[in-house]
Amino acid sequence: VNTRLSNSLDSQIWEVGTWIDVESPVRFDLMGGWSDTPPITFEHGGAVVNVAAKLDDKNCIGASARLVYLPANSNDIIRIRLCQTPRTAVLSMSPPPPRAEDDDEEQERNQIVLRQLSDCSDYDNPLASAALIKASLVTMNIVDVTNTISLQDQLKASILHDNADKTQNIGLEIRCWSSLPQGNGLGVSSI
């Protein structure tokens, strides 16, 4: 497990191109499920009892994130990919290679692109696409939906390394994965 993320946000040492990877075991919900996740916890508080366990001695849930310089013609500020496997190869912000029509539909269904601040405003709606990930961005003070500063400028100000070139537009790639099927009751339905 790489715990550099929380430290990097505090000291602004997250450099463009550097992947930050985190993994966790699956949680077995014994009581109070969902009362510990936004927006429920923001509105009502929450308490749960969970047991964490690895399956086949492996963590089943994870995420990877990195900052990237955006091409001049791109406005994909934050790209979220929902996957079934851990990151094994570097992803790029460039368009994917041509695929069969079914593959294109699957890729688009599993990718959420945030281009402006209003795309994050539904972070508190559990039915919104990638709501838990958006809520994490808000909770970590990477995105402030009440601020009038653009999503691009908020991203630069909140997590870009002090020595980085702030004149270039940057994006954030987030790749979330779970090797477990959705709807299994093991705490991964929102990933």
Side-chain angles (χ1 to χ4, degrees):
V1 176
N2 183 339
T3 57
R4 185 175 171 208
L5 179 59
S6 61
N7 294 337
S8 67
L9 294 177
D10 293 338
S11 60
Q12 294 191 342
I13 60 168
W14 198 1
E15 296 186 29
V16 174
T18 301
W19 281 103
I20 296 176
D21 302 304
V22 295
E23 293 182 357
S24 71
V26 66
R27 73 177 189 179
F28 294 94
D29 231 353
L30 302 177
M31 182 182 82
W34 274 101
S35 68
D36 65 333
T37 57
I40 296 167
T41 190
F42 291 152
E43 296 169 6
H44 307 288
V48 297
V49 177
N50 293 319
V51 174
K54 292 183 177 184
L55 297 179
D56 295 327
D57 203 32
K58 295 180 182 172
N59 288 321
C60 302
I61 305 165
S64 301
R66 74 173 177 169
L67 293 171
V68 294
Y69 287 117
L70 294 176
N73 61 348
S74 177
N75 62 353
D76 294 357
I77 308 302
I78 299 175
R79 183 178 290 174
I80 302 165
R81 293 185 180 164
L82 310 175
C83 308
Q84 293 183 338
T85 58
R87 177 182 61 86
T88 56
V90 174
L91 303 171
S92 76
M93 292 296 278
S94 59
R99 301 170 183 241
E101 188 175 315
D102 290 343
D103 289 343
D104 285 342
E105 289 176 17
E106 181 71 18
Q107 175 73 13
E108 189 166 319
R109 222 181 7 254
N110 293 325
Q111 179 171 281
I112 295 96
V113 176
L114 310 177
R115 294 185 172 94
Q116 54 195 8
L117 193 56
S118 62
D119 293 339
C120 301
S121 64
D122 60 354
Y123 75 96
D124 58 353
N125 177 358
L127 301 178
S129 296
L132 190 58
I133 299 162
K134 293 174 188 176
S136 297
L137 293 170
V138 170
T139 302
M140 294 183 340
N141 295 319
I142 294 173
V143 174
D144 179 355
V145 295
T146 64
N147 200 318
T148 58
I149 298 173
S150 73
L151 183 59
Q152 173 64 232
D153 289 339
Q154 285 191 36
L155 192 60
K156 286 180 185 180
S158 63
I159 57 179
L160 192 58
H161 189 281
D162 289 335
N163 297 329
D165 181 0
K166 293 187 181 182
T167 61
Q168 291 191 9
N169 286 337
I170 60 163
L172 177 61
E173 288 184 73
I174 302 171
R175 188 177 196 275
C176 298
W177 62 270
S178 169
S179 58
L180 301 167
Q182 276 192 326
N184 59 29
L186 297 178
V188 295
S189 298
S190 300
I191 297 177

